Amino acid sequence: MFKRLALALLCALSLAAGGVERFPVEQRLDLSRLGFVDAKGKKCVVGDFKGRVVVVDFWAVWCGPCRRSLPELNALQQQGREKGTLVVIPCNLDEDLWPRSVVRFLDRNAEALPGFLSYRAQLGKAGIGSNLGHDIASFPTTLVIDGKGRLAARWSGYTEGLLVAELNRALAELAAEAAAQATEAPAP
């Protein structure tokens, strides 16, 4: 109980934080080995999505700002599946509640979150600590990962529209890289 209360306090404090930390290309941390597993046991790692922008959002069922962010994540998750340039991985970190309570929460909110897929972090070499160098301390925490599997931006807390703005920045960068590669390719 104390652990949940402390985490809820961290979640509330993260609302005030909200500052975006952006990383220059040459300083980006490689997260291609960061791994996830869905409620059915299917595993993936960020490296599986090279060439696409990946959003990882760490959330918890009990976190109010997290719950407010889910409809936006759901809409982006669906758009990403349709367009193919974006992958959204909502990663639930409810240790005691995965997967039964998380699935129940999503079932109760199915109308507001149609087709929403949630994941759990893998452990060991594919785990959060092994790849980020630390665990997630506040909720929600969002990572924007570039098309090469590197950390482009991160922040804690939820501000409506912030994710879309950061995604537009990352997708524009991805498009610019693709255009640069196209002009560098030798003509036939």
Side-chain angles (χ1 to χ4, degrees):
M1 181 66 166
F2 177 74
K3 183 177 178 182
R4 278 198 186 167
L5 187 58
L7 287 173
L9 179 59
L10 277 174
C11 186
L13 290 173
S14 75
L15 265 179
V20 177
E21 187 176 9
R22 292 184 193 95
F23 302 95
V25 172
E26 63 278 357
Q27 295 177 8
R28 291 182 180 174
L29 180 63
D30 180 10
L31 295 180
S32 59
R33 293 178 38 187
L34 181 60
F36 307 92
V37 60
D38 68 16
K40 296 178 182 174
K42 182 180 176 190
K43 293 181 180 182
C44 65
V45 295
V46 168
D48 295 339
F49 308 110
K50 291 268 177 156
R52 293 183 263 178
V53 171
V54 177
V55 171
V56 179
D57 186 79
F58 296 101
W59 69 285
V61 168
W62 47 263
C63 171
C66 299
R67 290 193 310 267
R68 283 194 299 283
S69 74
L70 294 181
E72 185 175 16
L73 286 170
N74 185 55
L76 291 169
Q77 195 176 56
Q78 290 177 4
Q79 288 174 15
R81 279 186 284 231
E82 292 167 8
K83 294 182 180 180
T85 56
L86 170 66
V87 175
V88 178
I89 301 175
C91 182
N92 181 274
L93 294 182
D94 286 302
E95 292 175 21
D96 305 344
L97 304 176
W98 182 266
R100 187 174 300 142
S101 293
V102 174
V103 170
R104 191 170 38 236
F105 169 81
L106 294 174
D107 286 346
R108 281 195 310 261
N109 293 284
E111 190 172 312
L113 303 170
F116 187 78
L117 299 175
S118 189
Y119 297 80
R120 179 90 176 119
Q122 287 188 37
L123 303 174
K125 290 181 182 179
I128 296 167
S130 298
N131 286 276
L132 283 175
H134 57 81
D135 287 328
I136 300 302
S138 59
F139 295 91
T141 292
T142 305
L143 311 177
V144 176
I145 301 168
D146 69 17
K148 295 181 179 174
R150 302 169 306 182
L151 182 61
R154 78 171 155 215
W155 65 90
S156 294
Y158 174 67
T159 302
E160 188 174 339
L162 176 61
L163 177 55
V164 171
E166 289 301 317
L167 273 177
N168 286 337
R169 179 187 304 271
L171 289 167
E173 181 182 295
L174 184 66
E177 286 177 10
Q181 287 176 354
T183 59
E184 291 173 7

